[in-house]
Amino acid sequence: MYHRRNLRNDNSITGLLPAIITLAIFIISNIFWGFYVGFRVLAVMIAVYSLFQFRAYSRVRNLTYLVSAIYLLSLTLFLFFAPISSSGIDKRNFTSLNKFLTFAVFSLLIWLVYLMLTRKVKWKGREVYELAAMSVKDATNGFTERPYPTAKIKYSRRDLFDFASFIRSNQIALPFYENNQIAFVPIKMGHEFKFLYTNNFNYKDKSWILFDYDGNVTVHISKKDYLDYKETLSFDQLCESMGNLFKEFFELFIKGEGVRIIDRLDSLKISIFN
């Protein structure tokens, strides 16, 4: 089913920058110092990326980050221990360790491709914003800075924490825990890096959906995210719709129907790179 897109296209190459930088440094190292140094420099850089993926896994607890981290670590070891000749990697002199690492790298790569094709690697913030806009029909009352309170709902603190874990591990939004509330920040694909790798990140000027322990739900949509919509939308209706969307997600989760949340988001068929 085709859904009309409400958001502008995202042409950012942020997600490709690590690969572009790594390839450039690898080529420069080969030119100036030869393949032996080039492959060792590549190994060091990939090892650093592996540490970043382990860090992301500790924040999100999504299997994709763990598989990616182990894949990068295996590739690091492969490059470090691989026999290097003047023409590159010398497959004729592979040891048992080299063969094992080759098998591990390709096996993990296939797993990662599967996770990518099944949309397990994708941050689903763009889908959240698209769903929130679908029920907005009014174009009056443009952007305002103020948070928008929505109706109260009943839930236990335990249920809210379990819901936060579900939302986080499925990369729908990143929860931020405070004394008496949890704020959910929807994250679009390619925009996750600053959230994952910055300590004590201040989410207040971002878009968020806040659940406090008394059952109050408050929504704030940032000006940047609001202007990402192609058309002017009623800010109040958009906030109301966003709050209702997360309340619906919460109710589905409590009923044990979390898979329906994922199905609804994936049904939009937004590119895995956006």
Side-chain angles (χ1 to χ4, degrees):
M1 179 183 297
Y2 173 77
H3 297 274
R4 178 179 178 273
R5 298 288 181 254
N6 294 288
L7 294 172
R8 304 178 194 277
N9 293 329
D10 184 2
N11 299 316
S12 171
I13 63 169
T14 303
L16 297 176
L17 285 178
I20 294 172
I21 293 172
T22 300
L23 180 60
I25 294 177
F26 174 60
I27 292 173
I28 292 171
S29 299
N30 283 335
I31 292 173
F32 285 96
W33 298 290
F35 281 109
Y36 184 86
V37 173
F39 277 103
R40 296 314 188 255
V41 169
L42 181 61
V44 170
M45 294 192 68
I46 293 175
V48 172
Y49 294 145
S50 175
L51 293 176
F52 277 108
Q53 294 299 81
F54 277 116
R55 158 74 184 217
Y57 174 71
S58 72
R59 292 287 309 273
V60 181
R61 297 295 176 180
N62 180 288
L63 178 64
T64 299
Y65 282 113
L66 181 60
V67 175
S68 177
I70 297 174
Y71 162 73
L72 292 173
L73 180 59
S74 299
L75 182 56
T76 297
L77 295 173
F78 169 78
L79 292 172
F80 186 80
F81 289 108
I84 306 298
S85 67
S86 59
S87 58
I89 296 177
D90 186 0
K91 298 179 182 179
R92 295 169 300 178
N93 291 320
F94 267 21
T95 64
S96 297
L97 176 61
N98 298 140
K99 294 176 181 178
F100 170 76
L101 290 172
T102 300
F103 172 78
V105 167
F106 278 100
S107 298
L108 290 165
L109 179 60
I110 292 171
W111 193 357
L112 278 175
V113 171
Y114 166 77
L115 292 172
M116 180 179 68
L117 295 176
T118 54
R119 310 178 77 81
K120 299 295 191 299
V121 305
K122 189 178 190 320
W123 281 96
K124 299 177 175 64
R126 180 166 288 268
E127 286 84 344
V128 168
Y129 289 109
E130 288 283 2
L131 287 177
M134 284 183 181
S135 61
V136 179
K137 307 301 180 186
D138 196 351
T140 61
N141 301 324
F143 175 79
T144 63
E145 292 285 352
R146 62 177 175 78
Y148 184 90
T150 65
K152 292 182 64 171
I153 58 175
K154 292 183 178 180
Y155 48 78
S156 71
R157 188 177 301 188
R158 181 71 266 166
D159 286 340
L160 182 59
F161 271 78
D162 290 342
F163 176 65
S165 296
F166 171 84
I167 291 293
R168 181 191 64 224
S169 63
N170 285 283
Q171 298 181 186
I172 299 170
L174 195 62
F176 288 82
Y177 301 85
E178 298 184 331
N179 291 334
N180 61 347
Q181 58 193 21
I182 300 177
F184 297 91
V185 179
I187 300 176
K188 300 170 187 172
M189 192 68 182
H191 296 236
E192 68 273 18
F193 304 107
K194 58 188 174 185
F195 293 95
L196 295 176
Y197 306 124
T198 303
N199 291 325
N200 302 318
F201 187 87
N202 184 6
Y203 69 87
K204 295 295 178 63
D205 62 341
K206 307 301 180 183
S207 297
W208 41 262
I209 303 90
L210 190 147
F211 286 65
D212 70 22
Y213 296 161
D214 295 324
N216 299 302
V217 179
T218 306
V219 176
H220 172 261
I221 295 179
S222 71
K223 186 173 184 178
K224 183 178 184 299
D225 289 324
Y226 179 77
L227 294 177
D228 203 21
Y229 286 106
K230 296 177 182 177
E231 300 176 358
T232 301
L233 301 175
S234 167
F235 184 76
D236 288 355
Q237 287 186 21
L238 184 60
C239 290
E240 183 74 29
S241 179
M242 182 70 81
N244 289 337
L245 180 66
F246 267 75
K247 283 185 274 188
E248 181 182 349
F249 285 172
F250 186 86
E251 291 166 357
L252 286 170
F253 173 77
I254 293 301
K255 291 190 292 186
E257 299 178 5
V259 66
R260 295 189 181 277
I261 300 173
I262 306 302
D263 289 344
R264 187 174 175 188
L265 294 165
D266 287 348
S267 69
L268 298 180
K269 301 298 182 184
I270 294 176
S271 168
I272 57 176
F273 301 106
N274 288 332

